[in-house]
Amino acid sequence: MPRSCVRELLSSRPGSDLISFGGGVPHHSCVPLKDIQAAFETVCTRHGAQAFSYGSSEGEPELRDYIASEWLPRFGVDARPDEILIVNGSQQALDLVAKVLIDPGSAVAVERPTYLAALQAFSAYEPVYREVPLDECGPMPDALATHLQTAGCRFFYTIPSFQNPSGACCTLGRRREIVEVMNRSNALLVEDDPYSQLYYEKKPPLPLCALGASRPVLLGTFSKLVAPGLRLGWVWARSETMRHLVVAKQAADLCTGRFSQFLVLETLRRLDIDSHLSMIRAVYKSKRDAMHMALTASLADLCAWPLPAGGMFFWVKLRYADVPVRRLLARCIKNRVAFADGASFFATPSAQSFMRLNFTQPTPSEMTEGLMRMRRVLAE
Ligand SMILES: Cc1ncc(COP(=O)(O)O)c(C=O)c1O
């Protein structure tokens, strides 16, 4: 299994002078702390000790209901509550999907690049990766069709909206093409959607799972909407897939924490979700713009990047492909600045050098200072 450079950065308890562009953590001002605190009291009063008991492996019925009948209809997804599984962060869904679908040597299609922690989750089950390159419209349908036909992939894992790490957003036309290609095969469409509500220009198109995919598995999370430390996500899948995911979930942890589920539901009921999301978008859009300005001022001659229209990251390409990014990162950390090494986001090695830079955490002055520190190391 590959190591996670991001997790290691987050766990290294760096001194306070380290400026990190490494993780994908929401900004503390975007966590609805007051509502969570009030929800805490309400849950304790309403449920008493029961809130801290074991729950069902599928998840609390009220929360599954909320997701099926209040959240997913916003995205054109017509789901039944019994088609929802509550998981311990969508990271757990990645593991359960892999546990159910991958045997050693099974082919799995992933985007190139793709989310490093998905590669970590899948790799434990020893798949063979088939990579689908991305162009400016999204994953390339011809490459996907070839992999599905020639390798018999078990599933295609995609992050269509503001992809982690590239920030790319798949167009509506391309989403329809991908669905068409998927529906000609037996492979499942595993769509991961943590970022679609973090848009800074225009709303992304509907999820692929709402556009007629015949074997959909949609992953969602409360990490970016409420708080990542509550470790709460969900999966929507049809019953023939769901029953296997539930068994895998039983074996993994019996159930997701009951208290977190009640707490999130109560928090969501207190929040005005639309204004909460608008507030988050406003905070991150201004951070994105500050980061773009700081990058332009300090690294434009050494690197190139697209402006992300959503999500949490800049995907920065070094103009010199032979820069050993791992060593660059080690030097940068010595100089008190960190980022995620782009190499971790490729299932097979890339000839080009990339860095993934988070913009939701640092302040504008940290951005300027951190990027100047990076510039000095790069120039050396
Ligand atoms: C693409 C993607 N999938 C899944 C996750 C995991 O989210 P969770 O906190 O729900 O486990 C993340 C978190 O950053 C992510 O970027």
Short mmCIF file of all heavy atoms in Angstrom, two decimals, residues 24 89-91 94 115 157 159 164 192 194-195 221 223-224 231-232, ligand 1:
data_model
loop_
_atom_site.label_atom_id
_atom_site.label_comp_id
_atom_site.label_asym_id
_atom_site.label_seq_id
_atom_site.Cartn_x
_atom_site.Cartn_y
_atom_site.Cartn_z
N GLY A 24 -6.38 18.84 3.01
CA GLY A 24 -7.59 19.39 2.38
C GLY A 24 -8.62 19.62 3.47
O GLY A 24 -9.73 19.11 3.40
N GLY A 89 -17.02 8.36 7.35
CA GLY A 89 -16.33 9.18 6.34
C GLY A 89 -16.40 8.47 5.00
O GLY A 89 -16.45 7.23 4.95
N SER A 90 -16.42 9.24 3.91
CA SER A 90 -16.50 8.55 2.61
C SER A 90 -15.25 7.74 2.36
O SER A 90 -15.22 6.85 1.52
CB SER A 90 -16.82 9.52 1.47
OG SER A 90 -15.86 10.51 1.41
N GLN A 91 -14.18 8.01 3.13
CA GLN A 91 -12.99 7.16 3.02
C GLN A 91 -13.35 5.70 3.29
O GLN A 91 -12.83 4.79 2.63
CB GLN A 91 -11.92 7.64 4.02
CG GLN A 91 -10.60 6.91 3.90
CD GLN A 91 -9.93 7.11 2.54
OE1 GLN A 91 -10.11 8.14 1.90
NE2 GLN A 91 -9.19 6.12 2.09
N LEU A 94 -14.77 4.04 0.27
CA LEU A 94 -13.76 3.63 -0.72
C LEU A 94 -13.22 2.25 -0.37
O LEU A 94 -13.03 1.38 -1.23
CB LEU A 94 -12.63 4.65 -0.78
CG LEU A 94 -13.02 6.05 -1.30
CD1 LEU A 94 -11.89 7.05 -1.08
CD2 LEU A 94 -13.40 5.98 -2.77
N TYR A 115 -7.39 10.63 -6.65
CA TYR A 115 -7.26 10.91 -5.21
C TYR A 115 -6.34 9.89 -4.54
O TYR A 115 -6.59 8.70 -4.60
CB TYR A 115 -8.65 10.87 -4.61
CG TYR A 115 -8.73 11.09 -3.13
CD1 TYR A 115 -8.01 12.10 -2.50
CD2 TYR A 115 -9.56 10.30 -2.34
CE1 TYR A 115 -8.10 12.29 -1.14
CE2 TYR A 115 -9.66 10.49 -0.97
CZ TYR A 115 -8.93 11.50 -0.39
OH TYR A 115 -9.02 11.69 0.96
N TYR A 157 -13.65 4.60 -11.03
CA TYR A 157 -13.71 5.55 -9.93
C TYR A 157 -13.48 6.95 -10.48
O TYR A 157 -12.44 7.21 -11.10
CB TYR A 157 -12.64 5.20 -8.88
CG TYR A 157 -12.48 6.26 -7.82
CD1 TYR A 157 -13.50 6.50 -6.90
CD2 TYR A 157 -11.33 7.02 -7.72
CE1 TYR A 157 -13.37 7.49 -5.92
CE2 TYR A 157 -11.17 8.00 -6.75
CZ TYR A 157 -12.21 8.22 -5.85
OH TYR A 157 -12.08 9.19 -4.89
N ILE A 159 -14.11 11.40 -9.89
CA ILE A 159 -14.47 12.56 -9.04
C ILE A 159 -14.78 13.69 -10.02
O ILE A 159 -13.91 14.49 -10.36
CB ILE A 159 -13.28 12.97 -8.13
CG1 ILE A 159 -12.68 11.76 -7.43
CG2 ILE A 159 -13.70 14.04 -7.10
CD1 ILE A 159 -11.24 11.96 -6.98
N ASN A 164 -10.04 16.07 -6.99
CA ASN A 164 -8.86 16.07 -6.14
C ASN A 164 -7.88 15.10 -6.77
O ASN A 164 -8.20 13.92 -6.86
CB ASN A 164 -9.28 15.59 -4.73
CG ASN A 164 -8.13 15.62 -3.75
OD1 ASN A 164 -7.01 15.93 -4.10
ND2 ASN A 164 -8.42 15.26 -2.50
N ASP A 192 -17.41 9.84 -6.71
CA ASP A 192 -17.07 10.42 -5.41
C ASP A 192 -17.33 11.93 -5.50
O ASP A 192 -16.79 12.60 -6.39
CB ASP A 192 -15.57 10.13 -5.15
CG ASP A 192 -15.16 10.41 -3.72
OD1 ASP A 192 -16.01 10.81 -2.92
OD2 ASP A 192 -13.96 10.20 -3.42
N PRO A 194 -17.21 14.92 -3.00
CA PRO A 194 -17.10 15.76 -1.81
C PRO A 194 -17.17 17.26 -2.10
O PRO A 194 -17.36 18.05 -1.18
CB PRO A 194 -15.73 15.41 -1.23
CG PRO A 194 -14.98 14.69 -2.29
CD PRO A 194 -15.91 14.36 -3.42
N TYR A 195 -16.96 17.66 -3.36
CA TYR A 195 -16.68 19.08 -3.64
C TYR A 195 -17.72 19.81 -4.49
O TYR A 195 -17.54 20.99 -4.73
CB TYR A 195 -15.31 19.21 -4.33
CG TYR A 195 -14.18 18.69 -3.48
CD1 TYR A 195 -13.45 17.57 -3.87
CD2 TYR A 195 -13.87 19.28 -2.27
CE1 TYR A 195 -12.43 17.07 -3.08
CE2 TYR A 195 -12.86 18.79 -1.47
CZ TYR A 195 -12.14 17.68 -1.88
OH TYR A 195 -11.15 17.19 -1.08
N THR A 221 -20.17 13.05 1.57
CA THR A 221 -19.55 13.24 2.88
C THR A 221 -20.07 14.51 3.54
O THR A 221 -20.45 15.47 2.87
CB THR A 221 -18.01 13.34 2.73
OG1 THR A 221 -17.44 13.57 4.02
CG2 THR A 221 -17.58 14.47 1.80
N SER A 223 -17.97 15.94 5.59
CA SER A 223 -16.69 16.52 6.02
C SER A 223 -16.52 17.96 5.58
O SER A 223 -15.96 18.78 6.32
CB SER A 223 -15.52 15.70 5.47
OG SER A 223 -15.46 14.47 6.14
N LYS A 224 -16.94 18.29 4.38
CA LYS A 224 -16.71 19.65 3.89
C LYS A 224 -17.89 20.56 4.20
O LYS A 224 -17.78 21.77 4.15
CB LYS A 224 -16.44 19.64 2.37
CG LYS A 224 -15.55 18.51 1.88
CD LYS A 224 -14.11 18.60 2.36
CE LYS A 224 -13.34 17.34 1.99
NZ LYS A 224 -11.99 17.26 2.48
N ARG A 231 -16.41 12.36 11.10
CA ARG A 231 -16.23 11.15 10.30
C ARG A 231 -17.57 10.58 9.84
O ARG A 231 -17.97 9.48 10.22
CB ARG A 231 -15.43 10.06 11.06
CG ARG A 231 -14.10 10.49 11.63
CD ARG A 231 -13.17 11.16 10.59
NE ARG A 231 -12.88 10.35 9.44
CZ ARG A 231 -13.08 10.77 8.18
NH1 ARG A 231 -13.58 11.97 7.91
NH2 ARG A 231 -12.77 9.99 7.17
N LEU A 232 -18.24 11.32 9.03
CA LEU A 232 -19.54 10.87 8.57
C LEU A 232 -19.70 11.08 7.06
O LEU A 232 -19.55 12.18 6.57
CB LEU A 232 -20.62 11.66 9.32
CG LEU A 232 -21.84 10.87 9.76
CD1 LEU A 232 -21.47 9.66 10.57
CD2 LEU A 232 -22.75 11.76 10.58
C1 LIG B 1 -11.97 12.93 -3.41
C2 LIG B 1 -12.15 12.65 -1.96
N1 LIG B 1 -12.81 11.55 -1.59
C3 LIG B 1 -12.99 11.24 -0.30
C4 LIG B 1 -12.49 12.04 0.70
C5 LIG B 1 -12.63 11.59 2.14
O1 LIG B 1 -13.59 12.29 2.80
P1 LIG B 1 -14.11 11.84 4.23
O2 LIG B 1 -13.62 12.88 5.18
O3 LIG B 1 -15.59 11.81 4.11
O4 LIG B 1 -13.57 10.48 4.55
C6 LIG B 1 -11.81 13.21 0.37
C7 LIG B 1 -11.27 14.07 1.43
O5 LIG B 1 -10.57 15.00 1.26
C8 LIG B 1 -11.63 13.51 -1.00
O6 LIG B 1 -10.94 14.61 -1.39
#
